[in-house]
Amino acid sequence: MPKIKTRRGAAKRFSLTAKGKVKRNKAYASHILTKKTSKRKRNLRKSGLLSKSDMNGIKKLIPYM
């Protein structure tokens, strides 16, 4: 069987944790920041985990990570 190609867009956006969960960056942190509170912007800097329902699809896009 040939190797499966990694979807490069997904590889740049997601990474796997040691236990196999998918780590992601949070959205809404790039522009129109003046109306957002400091607390909200600070929490957007932190990474989050994907929900379980999205995890299986994304893991197929990044098979060797």
Side-chain angles (χ1 to χ4, degrees):
M1 289 293 293
K3 292 182 183 176
I4 303 169
K5 284 191 175 181
T6 298
R7 299 293 178 118
R8 297 311 299 162
K12 292 168 189 174
R13 287 169 174 82
F14 302 106
S15 60
L16 292 180
T17 63
K19 291 193 174 185
K21 296 178 182 178
V22 181
K23 196 165 65 168
R24 66 175 180 87
N25 289 324
K26 292 185 179 172
Y28 307 110
S30 58
H31 62 99
I32 315 177
L33 298 172
T34 52
K35 64 174 79 170
K36 295 172 186 162
T37 64
S38 299
K39 180 181 178 180
R40 185 174 166 193
K41 290 187 279 190
R42 184 167 59 248
N43 286 329
L44 287 172
R45 284 199 294 262
K46 301 172 184 175
S47 60
L49 294 176
L50 272 187
S51 64
K52 199 160 192 129
S53 58
D54 295 327
M55 207 171 287
N56 292 329
I58 295 299
K59 279 188 173 183
K60 288 177 185 172
L61 300 178
I62 48 173
Y64 301 110
M65 292 185 81

